[in-house]
Amino acid sequence: MRLKEKTRENLAGYLFILPNLLGFSMFILFPLLFSLVLIFTNWDYLQGLKGLVFIGLDNVKRLIHDETVFLSLKHNVIFSVISVPAAMGIGLLLASLLNKHVYLKESIRTLIFLPYMSSLVAIAVVWRVMYNSSEGPINAVLRAIGISNPPGWLASPSWALISIIIMTVWTYIGYAMILYMAGLQGISKEIYEAASIDGASATKQFTSITLQMLKPTSFLIAVTLINASLQVFPSVQVMTNGGPLQSTTVLGLYIYSQAFELNQMSYSATVSWLLFLVIFLVTIVQWRTQKKWQDQY
């Protein structure tokens, strides 16, 4: 009897997780495994599975000699190296200010966090209009204050990637700020009071107490923002589509263009696995160094 009851309980449990398991298998596991198979094939997806032709490691060899791939990877690295620390730094500064007694703190916090919750495509469209080199409001303000030759922003190969990074940082700030505010509220005021009694300045308290106690929060923000920045795609596609002169081409956009513009599904899958390996290695390094971020663990 006990065996039958246990079997019924196990069956009921499996039935409960079955819908989620089916969804995971259909939309994540199967596409993942199929994309791995595509690396070794040349697939004309218009012919269905009949269009699969085994070609060995030709896609990998093509990847190794593809200069655009490494240019895109370089842009991804630059994007992450600049946008993540900038968003974390500004987010921490705003969180520290709003954690004190500030008038309309809740309203200001909501306004700063709102871009992160908004549609990234809509945000990119608005910023593209603002960045217009001839009629955009940003250059209009710069000319009004005496800058006769403002940057070309999205039309300039030198400024296009920086322009997208600025927009992305503006989007990420709210996320970092909210998490830092939660972390700050978890720090006991008694610690600051004891430091003040010992004669520690505000700067010393910030570096020795605030930054140290916020290490776990900083680790969480760094992991999530780095992974998000390495997968950047919609903002680049909407604002520049990789131009001008491939100055903003990133791996996500290159994968999309190979798959849906050039119908190179197999090569697109190969590049996507390169992106996966990059993100995987970065994540491994982050978890290996987490003890430096989370002293209490």
Side-chain angles (χ1 to χ4, degrees):
M1 291 295 292
R2 291 182 179 179
L3 183 61
K4 289 184 178 180
E5 290 180 0
K6 188 175 181 179
T7 303
R8 290 177 180 177
E9 290 178 359
N10 291 338
L11 181 60
Y14 287 130
L15 289 175
F16 273 115
I17 67 172
L18 182 61
N20 186 54
L21 185 61
L22 289 175
F24 174 80
S25 301
M26 292 175 60
F27 299 109
I28 297 180
L29 184 60
F30 174 74
L32 183 67
L33 296 177
F34 188 66
S35 68
L36 184 60
V37 173
L38 289 180
I39 294 177
F40 308 101
T41 66
N42 183 20
W43 184 37
D44 183 0
Y45 67 94
L46 297 177
Q47 298 182 19
L49 295 178
K50 295 180 180 179
L52 281 172
V53 178
F54 180 76
I55 60 173
L57 296 175
D58 288 357
N59 285 321
V60 178
K61 295 176 182 177
R62 177 183 172 186
L63 175 68
I64 295 173
H65 296 92
D66 192 342
E67 295 181 359
T68 305
V69 168
F70 295 99
L71 177 64
S72 303
L73 180 59
K74 175 185 174 182
H75 292 158
N76 276 93
V77 173
I78 294 173
F79 193 93
S80 299
V81 168
I82 298 177
S83 63
V84 174
M88 292 177 65
I90 300 174
L92 177 58
L93 177 62
L94 292 174
S96 301
L97 293 174
L98 292 177
N99 194 49
K100 303 180 183 298
H101 296 289
V102 178
Y103 183 67
L104 294 177
K105 178 170 64 177
E106 290 77 12
S107 300
I108 296 173
R109 181 180 60 194
T110 302
L111 289 174
I112 296 174
F113 186 65
L114 192 60
Y116 184 78
M117 297 297 295
S118 303
S119 168
L120 190 56
V121 173
I123 291 173
V125 170
V126 173
W127 275 83
R128 185 176 64 181
V129 174
M130 294 173 61
Y131 276 135
N132 188 285
S133 56
S134 58
E135 301 177 356
I138 294 178
N139 279 0
V141 172
L142 293 178
R143 292 190 185 95
I145 62 177
I147 301 177
S148 58
N149 188 25
W153 302 115
L154 299 178
S156 169
S158 302
W159 282 93
L161 186 61
I162 297 175
S163 303
I164 300 175
I165 290 174
I166 292 173
M167 186 274 290
T168 304
V169 170
W170 177 79
T171 306
Y172 286 168
I173 286 173
Y175 172 77
M177 180 199 67
I178 290 295
L179 291 184
Y180 274 130
M181 288 188 70
L184 287 170
Q185 292 172 7
I187 302 176
S188 175
K189 294 182 180 180
E190 296 178 356
I191 300 177
Y192 292 104
E193 292 174 358
S196 299
I197 294 173
D198 291 339
S201 64
T203 303
K204 186 66 175 178
Q205 292 179 34
F206 182 78
T207 56
S208 300
I209 299 175
T210 305
L211 290 182
Q212 296 300 318
M213 297 294 287
L214 287 177
K215 278 186 176 181
T217 305
S218 298
F219 175 76
L220 172 63
I221 296 172
V223 169
T224 53
L225 290 188
I226 288 174
N227 288 343
S229 62
L230 288 174
Q231 299 176 68
V232 60
F233 166 68
S235 56
V236 175
Q237 186 192 32
V238 172
M239 297 179 75
T240 62
N241 200 29
L245 301 177
Q246 292 188 325
S247 60
T248 59
T249 301
V250 291
L251 284 177
L253 182 65
Y254 191 60
I255 292 168
Y256 173 84
S257 64
Q258 289 293 319
F260 300 106
E261 294 178 2
L262 301 177
N263 298 329
Q264 299 286 328
M265 281 290 180
S266 297
Y267 186 61
S268 175
T270 307
V271 180
S272 68
W273 272 91
L274 171 65
L275 178 58
F276 166 77
L277 289 176
V278 171
I279 295 174
F280 179 75
L281 291 175
V282 170
T283 304
I284 290 297
V285 172
Q286 289 172 327
W287 283 107
R288 289 286 186 180
T289 59
Q290 68 172 320
K291 290 183 179 180
K292 296 180 181 180
W293 294 75
Q294 299 173 297
D295 295 333
Q296 59 267 48
Y297 300 120

